[in-house]
Amino acid sequence: MAKEYNFREIEKKWHRLWTERQTYKVTEDENRKKFYVLNMFPYPSGAGLHVGHPLGYIASDIFARYKRLQGLNVLNPMGYDAYGLPAEQYAIKTGQHPEKTTFANIDRYREQLDKIGFSFDWDREVRTCTPDYYKWTQWAFQKMYNSYFDEELQKAQPIEKLIEKFKAEGTWPSDEKEQSELLMEHRIAYLGETMVNWCPALGTVLANDEVVNGVSERGGYPVEQKKMRQWCLRVSAYSQRLLDGLETIDWSESIKETQKNWIGRSEGAEVEIKTSEGLSFTIFTTRADTMFGVTFFVLAPESELVDKVTTPEQRAAVDEYIKYVKGRTERERMIDHTVTGVFSGAYGINPITGDKCPIYVAEYVLAGYGTGAIMAVPAHDSRDYAFAKHFNLPIIPLVEGADVSQESYDAKEGIVMNSPASEDKSVKYDGESLCLNGLTIKEAIAETKRFVKAHKLGRVKVNYRLRDAIFSRQRYWGEPFPVYYKKGIPQMIPEECLPIELPQVDKFLPTETGEPPLGNATKWAWDEKNRKIVEKSLINEVNVFPIELYTMPGFAGSSAYYLRYMDPHNDKALVSEKAASYWQNVDLYVGGSEHATGHLIYSRFWNKFLFDLGVSKKDEPFQKLINQGMIQGWSSFVYRLRNTNKFVSFDLLEEQYDDAKKKSFYYYQGTEADPVYADISMVSGNVLNVEKIREWTAEFRDAEFILNANGQYIVSQAIEKMSKSKYNVVNPDDICENYGADTLRLYEMFLGPIEQSKPWDVAGIDGCFRFLKKFWSLYWDRDGNLQADDSEPTAENMKSLHKLIKKVTSDIEEFSYNTSISAFMVAVNEFSQQKCTSRTVLQTLPILIAPFAPHIAEELWEAISGGQTWQSSRQQSVCDAQWPQYEEKYLVETSVKLGVQFNGKVRFDMLFPADATPDQMVEMATSAPEAQKHLEGMQIVKTIAIPKRIVNIVVKPKTE
RNA sequence: GCCCAGAUGGUGGAAUUGGUAGACACGAGGGACUUAAAAUCCCUUGGCCAGUGAUGGCCGUACGGGUUCGAUUCCCGUUCCGGGCACCA
């Protein structure tokens, strides 16, 4: 009886031994090179871990194990992003404290993760919601509050330096309130009166990346613009560094591109415009070359200039327009691009041409970008063009050959003309007037910038689209701010008193007076004298003051967690100098690309700030980034006839396409049928288990199911993101139970390239399971005894082995795990055919497979090395073995079969010595008997021979 | 609209980056062992055509062109799917 591959026992055994032996515990070791592997830590949701989560974790675990086998000291930690909206909303619904549900979810995650056999050092686990962790989130916030960004040095500096500067300049106010306001304009964490994304349904403000298509990312509720006093982070100050840093890191082009878009650098010029009333304003343009084509100016409706510029005659019209704009939601403005606007009554004077052009107010100009005012060049900007057509304003073409009768010419290519149209159209400054005619657009831009600068008409300016991050939320389940208010002026709670712990509340909703949930806390006031938190009722504005009621957003805790993993139990510092110097930054970061404009920007910003402080040792936190694809789920739908409790099999429905809504609708005998999610566990293939769904929810209990001719109920299926609400979540637990963790790990990697998204499909998992069984059976004879012997491996054995080492090594380096698993499959078949029992080979294979399938690797490693005396105790685990090097000498081929081509078509195959030179190859090929019939009546034009690749002979008919 | 990435058998996907397209796996078909099933093993499997047969020929990497002795790979154009940004001046 051959020995069975009992994965359940093997995996249980090794989970136990790994824990007992602390196999994965990591400590700083100056004698070894470090390698830091990191996964984006999960938010522990109530749905548990699904098969998509481990995809990235497995990928990084393979790399971590591989690097470790190569002798590096690998840090591979895991933790939880534990603050979040779902737990809070669940608390509002059920009254259960978010901490309770969050910790329960964490336990469940841990249990699931443990089954898969990761090499995490759990001693370093962090949870963002525990005080010993968020102490350092609060600490970093205070550091940001007490810093400003020095434009010249391009780095953060202590705020005291700025105060000194103001004092030296004599601009330092004496009034405390004025001082506070002045510094607020410079602090990196500041309290700002800004337009925010307010989500009434969630009762909180949202950051820009949390708003998608004008609705909230979570829940899809409408979002409106509202002016509110909020904590903000001056992320925009770091725009240039965030952009420059991208060049130094090894991330995918697409994600760098996304970040570049989000930062949105544009180089241009700011030009001073005087108005007919003697006022002036500044416009920003990237197309300085088009100054001669300006026919009007436009102000953003929210701009403060509007009020100043508007003439009495136009006042009523402008007010009405602004009222209209205010009434529009963000979403409406995004979808509806119809041209609107109003004349302000005033005129602006083009400093280049001296022309008087009307100033309009229109919503297509945004207050938040540039100066909130533009010069309009309808001929060369499509938005200005639409506006000009609508209001019948002149259009002056400035590029040779550009036809602007139907649409604007926006391209930045061509030769400039009409600039000026005639000599008297260009105003002279210090005797010089601007002339761009005949230049290319690029030259014209540069020339205009020079002119504007030289004659002080404006200045060259770089603008960024990146906005400051709104850093406060009106929620309960988040980090409290270590801030109290003294006469309305924010004060930092002393650093030694941190952390300020999240107070207990009995209600998680806003208070009746509209305060955020923390307003419900009774013990939430700061006693300045005794330096402690006291009852709110004691507030006296003398020595006891109210504490901030806002909490920090989700990204606060996730922005520097990778630093905390380096030194997670340190209560003196976020991370010790020693640990930070050793681990530096993350070498390999694995996570989803959906964080491109959120976490991955905030984290880089946060790290750059800490780098300026000297806490972080590298300017960029994540050297290499791999974005694992999403594993999607198959959602299943049943169709309910509208206003009935009847469900109709999908194949009986008629489809109708609604062009307007770009959606299909389904009908059954004239009645429309609406799709309803059905849990995937009730579906096999596309057939619904009607009995099972009746037991699922009350909705289906007494429903009538109209079946097809085969007596089956067919569901329709769609590939969607895995989510609890879509009832399409597949847990990894079942796979572990039926096939084992090693098979799960192998299969998830075998599905395809890591970066690709793909629907989950268990078809094919048998292939990986079979492979492991074959791998297992290499080691055991028919009686279940280990069949390794000390026989000399054959040349064939060594060739197969070294081919495998070479392939697997290079594939892991390139994260091409699916192809390295294929290589294993090939190799195992070869060894099996070779009946290889050589210890040399059998001892190496477990090391090679260990990153992918650690449990079976350990078991076989133990079996094959069991008879030996250990050189050191660490060799008890395959994790501490040494990754083998391949040797070229075993891979050398003595002869190679190559196709001999005539004019690019393969005509015959023949054997060549592997070391044949191209000349020898041609000689052999042309003199071969098979070649003669192809050469008959032909002459050789050219020959190409590439050793080990191809022999190509180009011929053409002989001409006399 | 702009930017980025992609399209290969029935399916997931390989292809040393310009050198015999379809590795590996799934599925399907056939066979062996077995009372039977499971498990295991072997063979076939891109399409079309010719041949009893070994085999041979043609077509084939979304579509249309180009460069090249040779193109899945490079260039130009088109179509389709995915991702990001979107009145950003």
Side-chain angles (χ1 to χ4, degrees):
Chain A
M1 196 39 198
K3 193 164 165 133
E4 194 197 346
Y5 168 47
N6 189 338
F7 58 86
R8 284 193 197 89
E9 247 170 52
I10 294 170
E11 291 178 3
K12 227 170 112 185
K13 170 181 163 189
W14 286 100
H15 291 161
R16 198 190 74 234
L17 288 176
W18 286 335
T19 310
E20 278 176 18
R21 295 177 183 172
Q22 296 197 305
T23 307
Y24 301 120
K25 193 171 167 58
V26 185
T27 48
E28 290 76 51
D29 178 353
E30 296 296 340
N31 299 318
R32 281 200 295 165
K33 225 180 128 192
K34 67 97 190 187
F35 197 89
Y36 188 174
V37 176
L38 184 64
N39 293 285
M40 289 184 188
F41 61 171
Y43 171 77
S45 91
L49 209 63
H50 61 66
V51 290
H53 284 110
L55 186 75
Y57 306 156
I58 295 168
S60 57
D61 194 57
I62 289 172
F63 206 77
R65 287 175 178 275
Y66 163 73
K67 282 289 166 193
R68 179 178 171 147
L69 287 166
Q70 286 193 326
L72 277 74
N73 192 21
V74 177
L75 176 56
N76 183 26
M78 184 46 92
Y80 305 95
D81 185 15
Y83 277 131
L85 200 50
E88 174 155 339
Q89 296 210 304
Y90 190 73
I92 292 168
K93 249 194 333 208
T94 64
Q96 290 211 56
H97 196 282
E99 186 177 276
K100 198 178 148 195
T101 52
T102 302
F103 280 18
N105 290 344
I106 286 177
D107 289 344
R108 166 116 189 266
Y109 266 56
R110 177 64 192 274
E111 206 177 295
Q112 289 181 295
L113 287 169
D114 279 347
K115 285 185 189 157
I116 306 172
F118 294 114
S119 61
F120 297 133
D121 177 359
W122 282 107
D123 285 352
R124 291 174 183 260
E125 182 199 284
V126 300
R127 301 178 180 190
T128 55
C129 68
T130 55
D132 63 330
Y133 180 88
Y134 66 67
K135 173 178 177 176
W136 301 104
T137 311
Q138 294 177 341
W139 174 85
F141 165 80
Q142 291 196 341
K143 289 284 174 203
M144 290 184 193
Y145 179 82
N146 288 318
S147 303
Y148 77 103
F149 191 79
D150 187 306
E151 280 295 328
E152 256 163 58
L153 299 172
Q154 278 288 305
K155 65 183 281 199
Q157 294 286 302
I159 198 85
E160 289 76 22
K161 274 182 89 169
L162 189 66
I163 297 173
E164 277 169 33
K165 213 174 111 191
F166 284 136
K167 280 180 178 163
E169 282 173 2
T171 47
W172 182 242
S174 53
D175 181 65
E176 197 188 341
K177 193 157 179 139
E178 279 175 42
Q179 287 175 354
S180 166
E181 275 166 16
L182 177 63
L183 291 179
M184 269 311 173
E185 287 169 28
H186 298 274
R187 295 181 190 275
I188 287 176
Y190 65 97
L191 203 48
E193 189 88 23
T194 49
M195 284 299 227
V196 297
N197 306 301
W198 173 254
C199 180
L202 294 174
T204 185
V205 301
L206 297 171
N208 283 339
D209 69 284
E210 293 171 317
V211 182
V212 178
N213 291 327
V215 297
S216 69
E217 188 191 18
R218 288 203 178 263
Y221 303 110
V223 170
E224 49 191 64
Q225 297 295 300
K226 200 172 159 183
K227 210 158 200 180
M228 283 177 84
R229 206 162 132 89
Q230 296 290 332
W231 285 103
C232 304
L233 300 185
R234 210 175 293 280
V235 179
S236 62
Y238 280 83
S239 295
Q240 191 58 48
R241 273 175 66 186
L242 287 167
L243 199 58
D244 293 342
L246 290 175
E247 303 304 321
T248 68
I249 51 181
D250 191 9
W251 293 17
S252 75
E253 279 311 311
S254 70
I255 207 145
K256 282 192 196 178
E257 199 62 35
T258 302
Q259 292 214 342
K260 280 181 198 165
N261 267 334
W262 191 257
I263 297 166
R265 182 184 204 269
S266 56
E267 235 171 272
E270 279 185 359
V271 180
E272 203 70 23
I273 305 294
K274 295 209 164 53
T275 73
S276 47
E277 271 73 30
L279 296 161
S280 85
F281 62 95
T282 309
I283 57 99
F284 174 74
T285 179
T286 55
R287 290 294 301 274
D289 60 307
T290 57
M291 292 286 293
F292 289 98
V294 175
T295 56
F296 54 98
F297 296 97
V298 189
L299 304 178
E302 298 86 0
S303 168
E304 295 131 26
L305 288 164
V306 174
D307 200 44
K308 285 192 227 162
V309 162
T310 305
T311 60
E313 303 84 61
Q314 284 298 99
R315 176 71 60 188
V318 169
D319 285 350
E320 197 185 324
Y321 180 69
I322 286 176
K323 210 173 130 195
Y324 154 80
V325 171
K326 274 194 177 153
R328 271 159 70 90
T329 65
E330 182 79 0
R331 194 170 168 72
E332 278 170 345
R333 268 176 90 157
M334 269 170 128
I335 294 166
D336 175 24
H337 281 186
T338 48
V339 176
T340 65
V342 66
F343 178 44
S344 70
Y347 291 83
I349 296 153
N350 185 335
I352 300 293
T353 61
D355 285 345
K356 257 173 76 176
C357 302
I359 302 170
Y360 280 79
V361 178
E363 61 177 333
Y364 85 88
V365 173
L366 305 175
Y369 186 74
T371 58
I374 63 150
M375 62 177 211
V377 186
H380 301 293
D381 183 288
S382 54
R383 295 152 303 179
D384 298 345
Y385 189 88
F387 195 84
K389 281 279 176 194
H390 188 262
F391 287 94
N392 255 324
L393 295 156
I395 297 165
I396 307 169
L398 300 172
V399 177
E400 284 179 16
D403 174 18
V404 295
S405 60
Q406 295 304 314
E407 56 181 2
S408 63
Y409 178 83
D410 291 15
K412 280 190 183 179
E413 277 160 29
I415 303 297
V416 177
M417 61 171 195
N418 272 345
S419 308
S422 62
E423 219 174 289
D424 61 325
K425 275 289 182 191
S426 187
V427 178
K428 279 200 164 93
Y429 290 94
D430 305 327
E432 190 194 5
S433 62
L434 185 64
C435 179
L436 305 172
N437 291 329
L439 299 177
T440 65
I441 289 180
K442 274 181 189 150
E443 290 163 349
I445 291 174
E447 170 62 8
T448 312
K449 277 187 189 164
R450 185 200 61 79
F451 187 85
V452 164
K453 213 169 139 186
H455 302 290
K456 300 202 166 55
L457 306 176
R459 59 196 186 114
V460 175
K461 176 82 202 285
V462 177
N463 264 331
Y464 301 91
R465 199 158 62 203
L466 185 67
R467 311 282 174 84
D468 288 345
I470 312 282
F471 197 62
S472 38
R473 298 289 182 274
Q474 291 66 36
R475 288 185 196 154
Y476 172 70
W477 192 229
E479 299 87 348
F481 280 88
V483 172
Y484 63 99
Y485 288 93
K486 207 165 158 179
K487 292 176 201 143
I489 298 172
Q491 311 285 335
M492 293 295 122
I493 287 172
E495 194 182 312
E496 316 83 75
C497 302
L498 298 183
I500 297 302
E501 291 195 27
L502 186 65
Q504 291 299 317
V505 295
D506 44 17
K507 264 170 55 199
F508 305 103
L509 281 168
T511 65
E512 278 156 23
T513 53
E515 283 180 328
L518 284 193
N520 292 314
T522 51
K523 199 175 172 187
W524 200 235
W526 182 249
D527 183 334
E528 204 176 53
K529 212 163 95 196
N530 297 311
R531 296 158 65 96
K532 62 177 191 182
I533 294 173
V534 295
E535 293 291 324
K536 208 155 78 176
S537 55
L538 298 173
I539 292 174
N540 56 19
E541 293 290 346
V542 178
N543 62 338
V544 179
F545 302 96
I547 302 179
E548 176 66 88
L549 298 179
Y550 293 154
T551 53
M552 297 185 194
F555 68 83
S558 60
S559 286
Y561 72 111
Y562 54 91
L563 289 172
R564 191 63 183 160
Y565 280 137
M566 296 174 182
D567 195 7
H569 308 297
N570 191 333
D571 59 355
K572 301 283 183 296
L574 166 61
V575 52
S576 72
E577 179 68 23
K578 188 180 157 227
S581 300
Y582 182 71
W583 296 111
Q584 297 276 314
N585 65 352
V586 176
D587 295 283
L588 173 68
Y589 196 30
V590 179
S593 57
E594 66 271 20
H595 298 107
T597 55
H599 163 64
L600 287 172
I601 290 259
Y602 297 130
S603 215
R604 291 181 61 221
F605 155 76
W606 202 288
N607 182 73
K608 280 174 193 300
F609 172 74
L610 293 177
F611 175 72
D612 290 348
L613 253 57
V615 174
S616 171
K617 300 299 168 193
K618 284 272 172 80
D619 189 41
E620 284 293 337
F622 313 119
Q623 193 52 42
K624 183 175 176 68
L625 176 71
I626 294 278
N627 296 115
Q628 97 269 25
M630 210 168 13
I631 291 203
Q632 296 132 321
W634 287 93
S635 302
S636 300
F637 300 93
V638 293
Y639 287 81
R640 179 202 272 127
L641 294 182
R642 191 162 291 175
N643 303 324
T644 68
N645 201 17
K646 289 179 186 169
F647 292 86
V648 184
S649 180
F650 182 62
D651 51 346
L652 300 175
L653 297 169
E654 281 172 60
E655 186 176 347
Q656 241 175 41
Y657 189 76
D658 186 328
D659 278 327
K661 290 187 180 163
K662 296 197 171 162
K663 246 179 103 174
S664 284
F665 291 88
Y666 295 93
Y667 292 87
Y668 178 70
Q669 298 178 346
T671 311
E672 193 171 340
D674 302 308
V676 178
Y677 279 108
D679 194 290
I680 39 150
S681 65
M682 287 150 199
V683 177
S684 58
N686 59 354
V687 180
L688 179 75
N689 184 331
V690 175
E691 294 314 307
K692 233 172 147 181
I693 201 170
R694 280 187 198 283
E695 291 163 21
W696 186 33
T697 61
E699 185 184 6
F700 297 104
R701 184 148 309 130
D702 305 313
E704 184 186 330
F705 290 89
I706 299 170
L707 309 178
N708 68 7
N710 302 329
Q712 291 177 322
Y713 188 101
I714 306 294
V715 297
S716 78
Q717 293 177 316
I719 296 170
E720 294 184 300
K721 186 177 172 176
M722 265 195 202
S723 139
K724 199 179 179 182
S725 62
K726 296 185 187 349
Y727 299 104
N728 61 357
V729 173
V730 183
N731 285 318
D733 305 21
D734 299 342
I735 312 279
C736 284
E737 182 53 32
N738 297 328
Y739 294 94
D742 284 341
T743 301
L744 173 75
R745 292 170 62 105
L746 236 36
Y747 183 58
E748 291 221 7
M749 294 302 104
F750 190 65
L751 274 172
I754 303 157
E755 310 217 59
Q756 218 158 73
S757 288
K758 53 232 147 187
W760 178 254
D761 187 0
V762 281
I765 197 162
D766 285 316
C768 290
F769 190 52
R770 259 173 233 159
F771 158 73
L772 284 177
K773 282 193 284 193
K774 280 184 205 166
F775 189 85
W776 179 256
S777 59
L778 280 182
Y779 287 78
W780 313 100
D781 65 19
R782 300 164 64 171
D783 306 317
N785 298 317
L786 190 73
Q787 57 176 354
D789 54 43
D790 294 319
S791 63
E792 205 46 39
T794 64
E796 242 187 338
N797 293 159
M798 291 309 269
K799 189 175 160 189
S800 296
L801 180 65
H802 285 260
K803 205 169 67 184
L804 180 65
I805 298 170
K806 186 177 179 178
K807 178 79 178 145
V808 172
T809 307
S810 65
D811 278 352
I812 293 180
E813 294 283 355
E814 287 159 29
F815 302 94
S816 177
Y817 298 146
N818 54 337
T819 53
S820 56
I821 294 169
S822 293
F824 273 114
M825 290 173 173
V826 172
V828 166
N829 276 335
E830 284 173 4
F831 290 131
S832 159
Q833 259 164 33
Q834 293 164 11
K835 300 204 177 3
C836 173
T837 54
S838 161
R839 188 179 292 275
T840 313
V841 173
L842 295 182
Q843 216 165 22
T844 311
L845 291 178
I847 308 172
L848 289 172
I849 200 83
F852 301 90
H855 310 87
I856 196 173
E858 289 278 21
E859 187 70 14
L860 293 173
W861 174 255
E862 187 188 57
I864 193 121
S865 320
Q868 300 184 343
T869 31
W870 298 107
Q871 284 174 9
S872 86
S873 63
R874 294 213 61 102
Q875 278 183 316
Q876 285 179 31
S877 170
V878 72
C879 302
D880 298 296
Q882 198 180 352
W883 189 258
Q885 295 277 319
Y886 70 89
E887 285 178 51
E888 216 43 85
K889 70 177 177 193
Y890 296 114
L891 300 176
V892 173
E893 304 276 351
T894 52
S895 64
V896 193
K897 191 174 135 194
L898 292 178
V900 178
Q901 302 183 341
F902 287 86
N903 291 357
K905 297 271 181 194
V906 178
R907 298 301 170 178
F908 62 89
D909 293 336
M910 69 180 284
L911 286 171
F912 294 90
D915 56 354
T917 64
D919 286 348
Q920 288 169 337
M921 288 168 74
V922 170
E923 171 65 29
M924 286 176 70
T926 47
S927 56
E930 296 101 312
Q932 294 312 311
K933 63 180 176 188
H934 300 289
L935 290 168
E936 208 172 308
M938 296 287 188
Q939 58 177 341
I940 296 171
V941 178
K942 197 173 166 185
T943 57
I944 297 119
I946 302 165
K948 296 184 190 173
R949 296 267 170 91
I950 203 86
V951 179
N952 196 311
I953 297 159
V954 185
V955 293
K956 68 173 187 187
K958 261 185 192 148
T959 46
E960 292 312 316

